Amino acid sequence: MSDVPRLTATECGVLGLLSLGEASGYDLMKLADRSVGLIWRPVKSQLYALLPRFVELGLAERQRVRQETRPDKVVYRLTDAGREALRTSLLELEAEGRAAYAIFNFKVFFGEIVGPEHVRETIEARRRQVVERQAELLRIRRGADPEEDFFPLLTLELALDELRAYVRWANRTLARLDAKSPADGTGGRARRR
Amino acid sequence: MSDVPRLTATECGVLGLLSLGEASGYDLMKLADRSVGLIWRPVKSQLYALLPRFVELGLAERQRVRQETRPDKVVYRLTDAGREALRTSLLELEAEGRAAYAIFNFKVFFGEIVGPEHVRETIEARRRQVVERQAELLRIRRGADPEEDFFPLLTLELALDELRAYVRWANRTLARLDAKSPADGTGGRARRR
DNA sequence: CTGAGCATGTAATCGGTTACATGATTCC
DNA sequence: GGAATCATGTAACCGATTACATGCTCAG
């Protein structure tokens, strides 16, 4: 009943695709190209393995569609439980470890589902992580030898440039979110303390 | 004999760490923090699983070191075959698919091993990929609805900013490499055609 | 007639993560 | 006395990738 299954990042991705409208496995592969594909795309065999499991968990419904000129297809549609599982899973997923970046991007991409306030918090949380990391990299750079560590320093500088790009984007985007959501003096609705 | 084993990205990472000097598994974990750790870090259990396999493949040698006040440790050292396998594997690994970014970074990080000309080519190849991707994202952006696709467009813009950061870094870095390696009119030593 | 697109899946393998397991020493 | 550091590994699981397998239709 109330024990909503927790989904992995990949499952969120597939369920997120499905949240855009009913589709067959084949449709979802193509849909991915035009949407989340920017940041992540499922592998066919995994997709086809996942879909029946969603049905078993009650997160999706399945319907066989006969076609005469084309092979029959199986069309899936999210249930309310599926939509809810997607929302809570996205909210609960921590953007940490190796999958951090993919999860971060999912949360923003599916901002309509998690809500603007969660998007804002997600962006701020990552900005904090990024600022810390910048400090760490700068510390390392100070201790490095420009001759001996020439190549490692190149990767370090690329990392720094990309982190800077993130911070700029985050600042711009947070401002846009502020402008978009009704200004209430605190910067957002779910603010407390 | 001449059939050098091909290593995966992770194996290159571990072997690359080992190329910095002989070390025990425990040492390598710490070494990773101060070196490649920027871009990638091995998982302990995997590291300990890999090291004996390197010995079996003749890529490393092992020596038990007895210590009185601390637990005994097993120290590994790269063999010539190991160094060669690392070099050719890094050269042959294609920076494509999911691991593309990690592989790209490995190639640059271990530039001393693969040589400046390969680094240059790697950076140029990625720049080509990135420019293509920028064009694709711009096309998608043109076709998107700023209202309806608000959140997806945020991730798209972040991606664009990061790609731009890469291109700038690549331009700067290629210039530095040109300045560094003797100018011979063609831009690098291994140039033909 | 060949190749691309539509359409769905299974099987095998492998790489990565987490948890389990142990035990001494040294610093606070 | 308790936490952190040194030190090495195993076991189980799971997620992801690759290869295998099939077969119809339509456009060039």
Side-chain angles (χ1 to χ4, degrees):
Chain A
M1 291 289 143
S2 69
D3 96 306
V4 186
R6 272 180 206 167
L7 307 169
T8 65
T10 305
E11 288 166 338
C12 284
V14 175
L15 221 54
L17 280 174
L18 210 49
S19 80
L20 305 175
E22 61 172 44
S24 68
Y26 191 87
D27 295 336
L28 287 174
M29 285 304 292
K30 277 187 309 166
L31 180 56
D33 294 339
R34 283 172 289 134
S35 60
V36 240
L38 307 171
I39 46 180
W40 163 90
R41 106 183 30 217
V43 178
K44 194 182 51 136
S45 63
Q46 207 180 1
L47 179 72
Y48 280 111
L50 243 39
L51 290 173
R53 282 190 42 218
F54 289 155
V55 175
E56 277 169 42
L57 291 167
L59 307 179
E61 287 166 345
R62 166 171 39 190
Q63 204 186 336
R64 169 157 243 113
V65 174
R66 299 197 187 246
Q67 298 181 118
E68 255 139 57
T69 157
R70 306 233 161 263
D72 291 2
K73 60 179 173 178
V74 185
V75 171
Y76 294 84
R77 188 187 311 108
L78 261 201
T79 61
D80 288 342
R83 205 167 295 271
E84 183 53 26
L86 175 58
R87 214 189 111 254
T88 60
S89 296
L90 278 174
L91 287 175
E92 280 171 28
L93 272 182
E94 291 289 335
E96 278 166 19
R98 268 168 224 269
Y101 196 57
I103 292 171
F104 167 80
N105 268 301
F106 276 169
K107 282 169 181 260
V108 178
F109 190 94
F110 295 118
E112 209 61 60
I113 292 171
V114 295
E117 192 51 33
H118 185 70
V119 172
R120 187 197 309 275
E121 276 158 25
T122 302
I123 295 172
E124 281 170 354
R126 185 171 175 85
R127 189 173 54 177
R128 264 176 265 130
Q129 282 172 16
V130 164
V131 168
E132 259 178 62
R133 188 135 182 80
Q134 285 179 316
E136 196 195 334
L137 294 187
L138 290 171
R139 228 180 343 99
I140 292 173
R141 186 164 68 172
R142 255 178 269 128
D145 178 327
E147 295 285 314
E148 180 117 21
D149 304 322
F150 181 77
F151 291 106
L153 279 170
L154 293 183
T155 67
L156 191 145
E157 259 142 50
L158 175 55
L160 278 172
D161 284 356
E162 288 177 336
L163 295 177
R164 253 178 251 130
Y166 174 77
V167 173
R168 290 209 195 104
W169 173 87
N171 293 338
R172 255 190 298 131
T173 303
L174 289 169
R176 282 176 72 188
L177 285 172
D178 279 335
K180 201 191 181 213
S181 68
D184 59 14
T186 65
R189 62 178 148 77
R191 280 292 154 82
R192 254 172 290 181
R193 278 165 183 276
Chain B
M1 288 290 139
S2 70
D3 96 305
V4 186
R6 272 177 205 171
L7 307 170
T8 65
T10 304
E11 288 165 339
C12 285
V14 175
L15 221 54
L17 280 174
L18 210 48
S19 80
L20 306 175
E22 61 172 43
S24 68
Y26 191 85
D27 295 336
L28 288 174
M29 285 304 293
K30 279 187 309 167
L31 180 57
D33 293 338
R34 284 172 289 134
S35 60
V36 240
L38 307 170
I39 46 180
W40 163 91
R41 108 186 26 220
V43 178
K44 192 182 52 135
S45 62
Q46 208 180 0
L47 178 71
Y48 281 112
L50 244 39
L51 290 173
R53 282 190 42 218
F54 289 154
V55 175
E56 278 169 42
L57 292 168
L59 307 179
E61 286 166 344
R62 165 169 42 190
Q63 203 186 338
R64 171 158 240 111
V65 174
R66 297 198 188 245
Q67 298 182 119
E68 256 140 53
T69 154
R70 305 236 160 262
D72 291 2
K73 59 179 175 179
V74 185
V75 171
Y76 294 83
R77 188 187 310 109
L78 262 200
T79 61
D80 288 343
R83 204 167 296 272
E84 184 53 26
L86 175 58
R87 213 188 113 256
T88 60
S89 297
L90 278 174
L91 287 174
E92 280 172 28
L93 272 181
E94 290 291 335
E96 277 168 18
R98 270 169 224 269
Y101 196 57
I103 292 170
F104 166 80
N105 268 299
F106 277 168
K107 283 170 181 258
V108 178
F109 190 93
F110 295 118
E112 209 61 58
I113 292 172
V114 296
E117 193 50 34
H118 184 69
V119 172
R120 186 197 310 274
E121 276 158 24
T122 301
I123 294 172
E124 279 169 355
R126 185 171 175 82
R127 188 173 54 176
R128 264 176 264 127
Q129 282 173 15
V130 164
V131 168
E132 258 179 61
R133 188 134 182 78
Q134 284 180 317
E136 196 196 335
L137 294 188
L138 290 171
R139 227 178 346 96
I140 292 174
R141 186 163 68 171
R142 254 178 270 125
D145 177 328
E147 295 285 314
E148 180 118 20
D149 303 323
F150 181 77
F151 291 106
L153 279 171
L154 293 183
T155 67
L156 192 144
E157 258 142 51
L158 175 55
L160 278 172
D161 285 355
E162 288 176 337
L163 295 177
R164 254 178 251 130
Y166 174 77
V167 173
R168 291 209 194 104
W169 173 88
N171 292 339
R172 255 190 298 133
T173 302
L174 289 169
R176 282 177 71 188
L177 285 172
D178 278 335
K180 201 190 179 214
S181 69
D184 60 13
T186 65
R189 62 177 149 78
R191 280 292 155 82
R192 251 173 291 180
R193 278 164 186 279

